[in-house]
């Protein structure tokens, strides 16, 4: 597989992921919320606050796709992937994953205090989502560290005659 093919594949996956995220948060989720409000009028007041909360949760996820896109640009050219900029990009992606996990936890706690959550959502889904984002954040931080080390070694080798 060539570098160009890898880059095209990674960027295609990223673009598709962005479209799916936007579709879910701006088409599916509002219609699900409207159906819940229609079936349970006592929760109709929560439609807009929770939809806005979901959009806030979506922001760090979409933000993380931007540095990923830039990382894929550097993969295209040989010797460019291991740079200090990519280490920073992985670090930013780790911060985005951590922010998404924290936002999700806050939203679930608020939902619980408002007595608007169900037991399966709170007991099963919340810990799984938190674990996913914490693991993703840790993986991005590890990649950041490894890319930083590789960039330093590359810099040292370029100075060696």
């Amino acid at each position: 597989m060539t570098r160009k093919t890898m880059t095209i594949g990674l960027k295609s996956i990223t673009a598709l992921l962005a479209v799916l995220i936007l579709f879910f948060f701006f088409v599916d989720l509002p219609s699900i919320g409207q159906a819940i409000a229609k079936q349970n009028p006592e929760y109709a007041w929560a439609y807009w606050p929770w939809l806005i909360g979901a959009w806030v949760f979506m922001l760090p996820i979409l933000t993380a796709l931007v540095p990923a896109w830039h990382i894929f640009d550097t993969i295209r050219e040989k010797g460019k992937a291991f740079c200090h900029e990519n280490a920073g990009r992985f670090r930013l992606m780790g911060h985005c994953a951590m922010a998404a996990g924290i936002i999700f936890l806050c939203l679930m706690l608020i939902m619980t205090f408002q007595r608007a959550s169900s037991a399966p959502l709170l007991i099963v889904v919340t810990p799984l989502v938190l674990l996913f984002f914490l693991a993703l954040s840790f993986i991005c931080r590890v990649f950041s560290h490894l890319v930083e080390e590789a960039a330093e070694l590359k810099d040292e080798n370029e100075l060696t005659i």
Side-chain angles (χ1 to χ4, degrees):
M1 181 181 297
T2 66
R3 290 179 181 277
K4 183 178 180 181
T5 306
M6 283 190 294
T7 303
I8 290 170
L10 289 168
K11 284 186 170 186
S12 298
I13 291 168
T14 304
L16 178 62
L17 187 60
V19 168
L20 290 174
I21 289 169
L22 289 169
F23 183 81
F24 175 75
F25 280 95
F26 286 104
V27 177
D28 281 348
L29 206 56
S31 65
I32 291 168
Q34 288 172 349
I36 290 171
K38 199 177 279 187
Q39 290 174 351
N40 303 302
E42 66 272 16
Y43 295 125
W45 62 269
Y47 175 75
W48 280 108
W50 285 108
L51 188 58
I52 293 168
W55 292 341
V56 170
F57 168 68
M58 172 198 65
L59 286 176
I61 297 169
L62 282 179
T63 302
L65 296 179
V66 174
W69 189 273
H70 291 296
I71 290 170
F72 303 151
D73 280 335
T74 63
I75 292 173
R76 189 176 203 135
E77 296 180 45
K78 188 173 183 175
K80 299 268 184 173
F82 296 109
C83 61
H84 299 285
E85 292 83 10
N86 279 354
R89 290 173 182 139
F90 275 116
R91 208 170 14 263
L92 175 60
M93 290 167 62
H95 292 313
C96 288
M98 182 65 71
I102 290 169
I103 291 168
F104 187 82
L105 176 62
C106 291
L107 289 172
M108 291 302 104
L109 289 174
I110 292 168
M111 188 180 280
T112 301
F113 290 129
Q114 292 177 338
R115 300 179 195 268
S117 69
S118 63
L121 179 66
L122 190 63
I123 296 170
V124 178
V125 175
T126 301
L128 287 175
V129 170
L130 282 176
L131 181 62
F132 171 78
F133 281 110
L134 289 174
L136 187 59
S137 176
F138 183 73
I139 290 167
C140 287
R141 298 291 291 185
V142 168
F143 282 170
S144 171
H145 181 71
L146 293 174
V147 169
E148 187 69 40
E149 279 186 16
E152 288 172 8
L153 286 173
K154 184 177 144 203
D155 291 345
E156 287 177 18
N157 285 339
E158 288 175 355
L159 295 175
T160 305
I161 298 176

